[in-house]
Amino acid sequence: MSSEIFVDAINGLGAVVLLTSIFLVASKRMVSFVRTFAVQSLALGLFAAIVAYHMGADHIYIVAVLTIALKALIIPTFLTRTIERIHVKREIEPLVGVPMSLLICGGLAFVGYYVSEPIIAGGNAITKNCFAISLAVVLIGLFLMISRKKAMTEIIAILVIENGLFLGAISIAYGMPLIVEIGIFFDVLGAVLIMGIYAFKINQTFETLDTSFMRRLRD
Amino acid sequence: MQTNAQILFQSMIVLLGIGGPVSLLLRRNGPSVAVSGSVLSLISSLLGIVVSSIVIIEGPLDLGWEISTFFGEWSLSLDPLGAFFLLVICIVMACVSVYSIGYIREYEGVYDIGVLSGLSILFFLSLVLVVSSTNVILFLISWETMSMVSYLLVVFENRKNNVVSAGYLYLTMTHLGTAAMTVALLLMAHYAGSYSFEEMAGGLDGMPLATMSAVFVLLLIGLGTKAGMVPLHVWLPAAHPAAPSNISALMSGVMVKMALFMMVRSFFDLLVPTEHWWGLLVVLLGCISALLGVLYSLKERDIKSTLAYSTVENMGIMLIGLGTAMVFASYGLSELSAFALLATLFHALNHAIFKALLFMGAGSVARATHTRNMESMGGLAKRMPYTSALTFLGLLSMAAMPPFGGFVSEWLLFQSLIQSVSVPDVPIKMLMSVSIAVLAITGALAVSMAVRLFSSTFLARPRTEAAERAHESPRSMVLGMAFLATLCIAFGVLSLWAVNFIDNVTSSVLGVSIGSDIAEGLTLRSTDEGFASMAPSLIAVLLVTSAAIAWTAAYTITKGWKERISGTWDCGTPLGPRNEYTATGTADPIVRVFNTVYKPRSELRTEPSASPLIKKRLFYEIQFIDIFEKYLYRPVAKSFIAIAKRLSIIQAGSIQAYLSYIFVMLVALLLLFR
């Protein structure tokens, strides 16, 4: 295969990651929210696999497999089951309306490109476009955390941020050392489990997952 | 000799370092831990007395152990200046630890006395570290340990009213001081390129004068807070009385002196007083502290608050001396500077001794009467003969009566202030002479304060039942006080020897020895020959012989007289304790004279009866407004609270709001530094 196909494939998968992030912002139902996240993680895994093939770096394969297994399968399943168990309302209640959110996301994608421009201008890595995307994804993840009320959406938002960072690490440095990656995976898994339990507890205590109710904890 | 001294110093540090934590761990067996803790501090302080005397006579001593850290070598070392203050610490500590054996029993079963004992040992250790640290960072750590441990000791009786709030005030003020001091010391370390005091002493040449002045002011704020310098004194009259009395003795006698120690070290060793206004500022603040301290001490009814304000006064006197020494040094008059510094250090020693004694006396009295209010005491001289006699000796020293130590050091201080005629600048000469007047009036007021304290506490008849039932304190408490009372006399009568001893210290700081100039034969004199001289031991002899003659004369004259006992003429109403002069009444003339300072708000209420001529009861209430609290601290606190209320809008309590702060900040930073 020629390198152009690689560049296309890599850019295409990068675009999928960005688009799924924007989808997350736009989605109004909890289940589709989790599924979109699974798709994003799958795209990310494939992205890692292609980079691994292109670079001939074996350890990135392991990372790719782990990404798909963990973020595309295990975590979404766990979260879906948690959602079912605590009978959370299916609707996501955004603080900022969807059209406005989409506009802001467009702006954030722009910020990502604008900020990363001086960094990627000099480099000749085939993944350089993806760095801008990764920044945009991190920012969109942060925005998701701010603009959505439910604890469950915040958990996914933090995973989106993690995905963005992962994308950035692979696109700039072709991944971190394997041991670090594996460490991060376990961290993410542990974090999700703990946050799931907390969501459960918050629901028990406040009978809602709406974090704006936690305002009462003030003073 | 030096190696022996080193071993003694090492064993002292090890004893304290192990003793403190161990007694905290074993605190469950309260009484036995308390007794062994006191014995341990007694042994360590005796070791300290030996070590510091050797250092003062023979020269500096290293501990011999070092720890290498990121901030240079951490080690302990005693130079004559540090050793002098170690001597002060250890003398007071030795007596306090004897006193504590009896005193601490009062808390048995009420508070955890094991903790009190363990913390006292840690407090002792931190004091030792403060005077012997060779490194800025180690010094700051020791200083902060000293402040924190003393805070814990202040709030020891935490179930009593006002104790916790006094502790909180102390904590706030001491942190303010430490903050200012940290900035100053780190600035000096930055310019000197080293964290070691020794290298800093010679390495500040590159520092601009403006920075040096800023460092000086910061140090003055930081150390002045600990010294109880007006207007940073507010914590002292609250915190010192709140602590258990043995701790009050240590805080007032020793801890405030640590500020003086560091002032001498940093103003003379590190900064070198070159600017005239530095010394003048210190003198000015000293004058204000001395005058206001003694005036406020006259209005207090709480016996320990009176003593605490008197500490403010005495620190003011020491600041006057220190400032004078700085002024002289800035004109290159090093002999006069050494004279003033010597007087200051001697006064520090005397103050440590008599103030510790007085606080211990107050502790005994409070223990016997279960109150600290002088208005409900009275008549204790008969019930507590030893305590009252020993307190009397301490009060005499405080009131600068010959031949006590306090008299000699204040005399020396007066002489050195009078020498300010040698300063070439006329305006400064005139300003300095004002401080002589301030010192004189302070001395006079201190006498009336001593009279007031003694008469309303110990003389006349008991005013309450509690005072009537009072009885003498245990032997160990009396013994602890007796040591200090003996020293009060000894440092007066033998002051020639003491002056020569302290001369070793000042000469190590200023490089000029004046001991042989001012102490000659039996007389002490001013550096200016033929100006003034005084023989403390002859005065003592004179006093004792004239007292003996007077007694013999009175005895022989009245020998044949017949004794007749009858009641006092009382206008037909029986005289009782209610007819006695109260503490408030004694101070009333002074309160009237200094109306502008006190701003008293008095109220007289009467309970009427059928006849307009007969009143059933009279109520008299007098309140004093603390001008510093009203015009300085209240407004500052109010504005801080107002700002905090404004800022509390950003504390919305919503997670999304907090996250968006981070988010906005992140995006802004990214755009700014792309």
Side-chain angles (χ1 to χ4, degrees), chain B residues 143-201:
Chain B
W143 185 270
E144 204 47 20
T145 314
M146 174 181 87
S147 302
M148 292 315 295
V149 174
S150 56
Y151 162 73
L152 291 176
L153 289 166
V154 165
V155 295
F156 180 69
E157 292 178 53
N158 51 31
R159 289 193 288 273
K160 267 194 191 162
N161 270 349
N162 295 333
V163 166
V164 174
S165 62
Y168 193 66
L169 180 63
Y170 171 45
L171 201 62
T172 317
M173 292 304 288
T174 189
H175 275 124
L176 182 83
T178 311
M181 212 169 69
T182 310
V183 173
L185 286 176
L186 291 185
L187 261 177
M188 284 201 278
H190 171 73
Y191 276 96
S194 162
Y195 287 103
S196 127
F197 280 125
E198 207 175 322
E199 284 170 43
M200 265 162 66

Side-chain angles (χ1 to χ4, degrees), chain B residues 304-559:
Chain B
K304 284 173 81 180
S305 299
T306 307
L307 292 174
Y309 271 118
S310 148
T311 299
V312 173
E313 173 222 329
N314 278 288
M315 286 314 290
I317 293 175
M318 283 170 234
L319 286 178
I320 294 176
L322 182 74
T324 313
M326 287 167 72
V327 170
F328 285 144
S330 71
Y331 284 101
L333 303 164
S334 47
E335 272 194 21
L336 291 179
S337 175
F339 187 40
L341 188 62
L342 190 144
T344 310
L345 291 180
F346 193 24
H347 193 63
L349 176 64
N350 284 322
H351 176 249
I353 290 167
F354 68 68
K355 192 48 63 68
L357 169 59
L358 291 177
F359 264 112
M360 283 149 83
S364 302
V365 168
R367 181 181 181 277
T369 57
H370 302 290
T371 175
R372 298 205 312 246
N373 188 351
M374 290 194 280
E375 307 285 25
S376 28
M377 293 177 185
L380 295 178
K382 279 195 185 129
R383 288 162 184 80
M384 309 175 73
Y386 296 115
T387 305
S388 68
L390 296 172
T391 310
F392 185 61
L393 292 178
L395 284 171
L396 285 179
S397 187
M398 188 192 76
M401 287 290 134
F404 290 86
F407 164 71
V408 179
S409 52
E410 282 203 35
W411 185 84
L412 286 173
L413 204 56
F414 266 112
Q415 294 309 322
S416 73
L417 278 172
I418 292 169
Q419 294 292 331
S420 61
V421 290
S422 323
V423 172
D425 283 348
V426 177
I428 290 179
K429 214 186 284 192
M430 286 165 72
L431 280 174
M432 295 295 291
S433 57
V434 173
S435 67
I436 302 177
V438 171
L439 196 57
I441 193 168
T442 306
L445 290 170
V447 175
S448 61
M449 180 230 140
V451 169
R452 173 174 180 263
L453 195 152
F454 192 77
S455 60
S456 52
T457 309
F458 294 103
L459 298 185
R461 283 205 258 161
R463 295 196 182 85
T464 54
E465 263 184 52
E468 205 156 351
R469 280 200 307 269
H471 48 80
E472 189 56 271
S473 306
R475 221 168 286 163
S476 58
M477 288 170 72
V478 174
L479 196 65
M481 289 190 278
F483 277 137
L484 286 177
T486 318
L487 287 177
C488 276
I489 301 172
F491 278 114
V493 176
L494 306 175
S495 48
L496 286 160
W497 170 82
V499 162
N500 266 317
F501 188 67
I502 300 171
D503 180 52
N504 288 320
V505 180
T506 50
S507 64
S508 85
V509 176
L510 290 166
V512 188
S513 170
I514 52 160
S516 50
D517 283 351
I518 62 168
E520 198 175 48
L522 280 174
T523 56
L524 267 180
R525 61 169 198 216
S526 171
T527 43
D528 192 358
E529 204 158 342
F531 191 77
S533 58
M534 191 244 325
S537 45
L538 290 185
I539 292 177
V541 171
L542 192 69
L543 279 171
V544 171
T545 38
S546 48
I549 290 170
W551 188 82
T552 333
Y555 183 77
T556 41
I557 290 168
T558 60
K559 207 175 172 185

Side-chain angles (χ1 to χ4, degrees), chain A residues 59 62-63 66 70-71 162 165-166 169 173-189:
Chain A
H59 78 269
I62 304 174
V63 174
L66 274 174
L70 208 64
K71 286 187 186 158
E162 214 282 322
L165 291 173
F166 182 77
Y174 301 116
M176 287 170 269
L178 183 63
I179 191 83
V180 178
E181 293 279 17
I182 290 176
I184 292 175
F185 278 120
F186 277 108
D187 280 355
V188 168
L189 186 62

Side-chain angles (χ1 to χ4, degrees), chain A residues 32-212:
Chain A
S32 67
F33 201 75
V34 177
R35 275 186 201 147
T36 317
F37 169 73
V39 170
Q40 187 186 49
S41 304
L42 185 66
L44 201 64
L46 291 176
F47 175 86
I50 291 174
V51 170
Y53 181 75
H54 180 67
M55 302 298 300
D58 290 341
H59 78 269
I60 303 186
Y61 279 121
I62 304 174
V63 174
V65 171
L66 274 174
T67 306
I68 293 173
L70 208 64
K71 286 187 186 158
L73 297 174
I74 299 177
I75 292 178
T77 325
F78 174 74
L79 287 179
T80 322
R81 278 178 55 193
T82 315
I83 290 168
E84 277 164 14
R85 260 181 54 203
I86 57 183
H87 307 295
V88 68
K89 270 209 284 178
R90 298 300 163 96
E91 282 78 31
I92 292 168
E93 297 153 53
L95 284 170
V96 185
V98 170
M100 191 62 200
S101 303
L102 286 174
L103 265 179
I104 291 174
C105 284
L108 290 176
F110 176 74
V111 169
Y113 271 96
Y114 177 71
V115 167
S116 59
E117 193 202 316
I119 303 169
I120 56 181
N124 48 9
I126 55 162
T127 48
K128 62 184 181 185
N129 263 330
C130 299
F131 179 62
I133 291 176
S134 75
L135 267 180
V137 172
V138 170
L139 292 178
I140 291 172
L142 270 173
F143 177 70
L144 261 180
M145 274 186 118
I146 297 166
S147 61
R148 300 296 181 266
K149 277 193 202 163
K150 289 215 169 107
M152 200 53 76
T153 44
E154 320 240 301
I155 297 173
I156 292 173
I158 209 166
L159 290 169
V160 170
I161 295 173
E162 214 282 322
N163 274 353
L165 291 173
F166 182 77
L167 183 64
I170 290 201
S171 56
I172 285 286
Y174 301 116
M176 287 170 269
L178 183 63
I179 191 83
V180 178
E181 293 279 17
I182 290 176
I184 292 175
F185 278 120
F186 277 108
D187 280 355
V188 168
L189 186 62
V192 169
L193 288 176
I194 291 167
M195 285 190 285
I197 292 162
Y198 268 111
F200 191 67
K201 284 279 171 197
I202 291 171
N203 194 49
Q204 259 187 350
T205 316
F206 294 93
E207 303 206 330
T208 174
L209 271 186
D210 189 339
T211 50
S212 55

Side-chain angles (χ1 to χ4, degrees), chain B residues 98-160:
Chain B
V98 174
Y99 176 87
S100 300
I101 297 175
Y103 181 75
I104 217 167
R105 297 256 146 171
E106 192 195 354
Y107 295 110
E108 211 172 310
V110 188
Y111 291 101
D112 199 335
I113 61 176
V115 168
L116 182 58
S117 158
L119 286 178
S120 315
I121 296 174
L122 283 183
F123 187 44
F124 188 11
L125 178 66
S126 65
L127 289 166
V128 174
L129 290 182
V130 164
V131 295
S132 60
S133 297
T134 57
N135 183 292
V136 172
I137 304 296
L138 180 61
F139 171 79
L140 284 172
I141 291 173
S142 323
W143 185 270
E144 204 47 20
T145 314
M146 174 181 87
S147 302
M148 292 315 295
V149 174
S150 56
Y151 162 73
L152 291 176
L153 289 166
V154 165
V155 295
F156 180 69
E157 292 178 53
N158 51 31
R159 289 193 288 273
K160 267 194 191 162

Side-chain angles (χ1 to χ4, degrees), chain A residues 95 108 111 114-115 117-118 139 142-143 145-146 148-149 154 211-212 214-215 218-219, chain B residues 648-649 651-664 666-667 670-671 674:
Chain A
L95 284 170
L108 290 176
V111 169
Y114 177 71
V115 167
E117 193 202 316
L139 292 178
L142 270 173
F143 177 70
M145 274 186 118
I146 297 166
R148 300 296 181 266
K149 277 193 202 163
E154 320 240 301
T211 50
S212 55
M214 307 241 285
R215 200 182 278 262
R218 183 185 173 196
D219 295 333
Chain B
S648 72
I649 294 169
Q651 192 212 359
S654 127
I655 295 173
Q656 274 81 10
Y658 297 147
L659 284 172
S660 47
Y661 299 148
I662 300 172
F663 179 67
V664 169
L666 177 70
V667 172
L670 275 176
L671 291 178
R674 73 177 189 119

